Amino acid sequence: MKDKTDLLQGTLDMLILRALVTGPMHGFAIMNRIHQTSESALQVEQGSLYPALYRMEAQGWIHAEWGVSENNRRAKYYTLTEAGRRQLGVESENWNRMCKAINLVMDFPV
Amino acid sequence: MKDKTDLLQGTLDMLILRALVTGPMHGFAIMNRIHQTSESALQVEQGSLYPALYRMEAQGWIHAEWGVSENNRRAKYYTLTEAGRRQLGVESENWNRMCKAINLVMDFPV
DNA sequence: CGGTTTACCTAGATTATCTAGGTGAATCAA
DNA sequence: TTGATTCACCTAGATAATCTAGGTAAACCG
C-alpha cells in the first residue's frame, strides 16, 4: 500500500535539481530541504536520494565535491551544472503540463 | 526515456475513477475520454488500461457488465461503486496534497 | 565511554505503467 | 464478397522509479 508521504514517481530528480538552485548542498541537506519546504508533506528516503544523486551526476546534471558540512562532518556537496539547469527547465515544464492535464480531467463537469 | 504523454505514476486509477463519475463507460471510451478531456496531453495505453480496470474491479471500486457499444460492438461497461466513489475521494485529496507540496518546493524563493 | 545524530552507501523488493504482441466482430469500400 | 479499417478487448514480459532494510563511520554530548 502506498504511504501518504510517498513521492509521485518521476518528480524526484526535479525536486533535487530545484533544491540546488539556491546553491550547492550535500545530500542530507537536500533531503531536509525538500521535507521542510514542502511543509513535511514530502519525505525523500535515503535509499531513493543517494542513487538518484549518483544517477544525476552520471547524467551530468550535477557535480559532486567532497567537503565538510556545517556540523563538521565529511559531506558530498552537489552543484547544479548548466545541463542540470536546462534539465530542470524541461522537467518543470513537463510537470506543469501534466498537472494541468490531470486537473482538466479531474475538473471536467459531471 | 520517458515519453511526453506518459502518465505520472500513481494517477491512472484516479483518472479512471473520475471518468466514470459521469456514468458507466466501456474501457475503450474511458481511454478516449481521458485523452479528450486532457486536451490530448494524456494518452492511456491499452496495456495499462485493461490491467488497471481488472485490478480495480477486484478491489471493488468498479463493477463490470457486458453490453453493446454505441458502435454495435460487444463492450464491457464499468460502473463506479460506492467504494469506488470513496476511493476517488481519497486519491483526489492525496493528489491535491501532493501537487501543493511539490509546488511549494518548486516555488521556494531562490 | 556509550548513545545519538549526521552523512553516506547498497542490494533487492515492489509496483505501476508501457511495449508489443495478439483475438474477433462490425463496418465500409471496391 | 472480400479486403482493409476500426472498435474493443486481452496478456506476457520489459522497464524504471522508488522504497525497505540493511549497513558504515565519524562527531558530538552527557
Side-chain angles (χ1 to χ4, degrees), chain B residues 42-58:
Chain B
L42 304 179
Q43 178 63 59
V44 180
E45 301 301 328
Q46 299 198 2
S48 313
L49 177 72
Y50 291 111
L53 288 170
Y54 187 82
R55 196 177 59 237
M56 292 165 73
E57 193 190 358

Side-chain angles (χ1 to χ4, degrees), chain A residues 4 6-7 12 15-16 28 38 41 56 75-76 81 99 108:
Chain A
K4 293 186 310 297
D6 272 14
L7 294 183
L12 178 55
L15 292 170
I16 292 174
F28 205 77
S38 71
M56 292 164 72
K76 219 188 230 173
T81 64
C99 247
F108 189 73

Side-chain angles (χ1 to χ4, degrees), chain B residues 2-89:
Chain B
K2 278 187 56 146
D3 193 54
K4 294 186 308 298
T5 56
D6 271 15
L7 294 183
L8 273 171
Q9 300 249 142
T11 59
L12 178 56
D13 292 5
M14 178 178 79
L15 292 170
I16 292 174
L17 291 171
R18 181 54 181 82
L20 290 175
V21 168
T22 55
M25 232 184 293
H26 55 78
F28 205 77
I30 293 173
M31 204 180 73
N32 291 331
R33 168 66 67 91
I34 292 175
H35 187 69
Q36 283 158 17
T37 60
S38 71
E39 292 169 3
S40 302
L42 304 179
Q43 178 63 59
V44 180
E45 301 301 328
Q46 299 198 2
S48 313
L49 177 72
Y50 291 111
L53 288 170
Y54 187 82
R55 196 177 59 237
M56 292 165 73
E57 193 190 358
Q59 294 275 347
W61 298 339
I62 56 180
H63 168 251
E65 215 162 311
W66 282 102
V68 177
S69 79
E70 58 276 21
N71 291 305
N72 201 31
R73 260 89 165 186
R74 98 191 213 292
K76 218 189 230 174
Y77 279 84
Y78 290 94
T79 313
L80 205 53
T81 64
E82 203 38 60
R85 208 170 284 274
R86 275 196 304 276
Q87 180 64 16
L88 175 56

Side-chain angles (χ1 to χ4, degrees), chain A residues 2-11 14-15 18-19 21-22 33-34 37-39 41-42 88 92 94-110, chain B residues 2-11 14-15 18-19 21-22 33-34 37-39 41-42 88 92 94-110:
Chain A
K2 277 185 56 144
D3 194 53
K4 293 186 310 297
T5 56
D6 272 14
L7 294 183
L8 272 171
Q9 300 249 143
T11 59
M14 179 180 78
L15 292 170
R18 180 55 181 80
V21 168
T22 55
R33 168 65 66 91
I34 292 175
T37 60
S38 71
E39 293 170 2
L42 304 179
L88 175 56
S92 172
N94 198 48
W95 162 254
N96 285 326
R97 203 166 39 69
M98 279 300 179
C99 247
K100 198 181 139 205
I102 289 174
N103 286 329
L104 276 172
V105 176
M106 296 307 289
D107 299 341
F108 189 73
V110 178
Chain B
K2 278 187 56 146
D3 193 54
K4 294 186 308 298
T5 56
D6 271 15
L7 294 183
L8 273 171
Q9 300 249 142
T11 59
M14 178 178 79
L15 292 170
R18 181 54 181 82
V21 168
T22 55
R33 168 66 67 91
I34 292 175
T37 60
S38 71
E39 292 169 3
L42 304 179
L88 175 56
S92 171
N94 198 49
W95 162 254
N96 286 326
R97 202 166 39 72
M98 279 300 178
C99 247
K100 198 181 140 206
I102 289 174
N103 287 329
L104 275 173
V105 176
M106 296 308 288
D107 299 341
F108 189 73
V110 178

Side-chain angles (χ1 to χ4, degrees), chain A residues 33-85:
Chain A
R33 168 65 66 91
I34 292 175
H35 187 68
Q36 282 158 17
T37 60
S38 71
E39 293 170 2
S40 303
L42 304 179
Q43 178 62 59
V44 180
E45 301 301 329
Q46 299 198 2
S48 314
L49 176 72
Y50 292 111
L53 288 170
Y54 187 83
R55 196 177 60 237
M56 292 164 72
E57 193 190 0
Q59 295 276 346
W61 299 338
I62 57 180
H63 168 250
E65 215 163 312
W66 283 102
V68 178
S69 79
E70 58 277 20
N71 290 306
N72 201 31
R73 261 89 165 187
R74 97 191 212 291
K76 219 188 230 173
Y77 279 85
Y78 290 94
T79 313
L80 204 54
T81 64
E82 203 38 61
R85 208 170 283 273

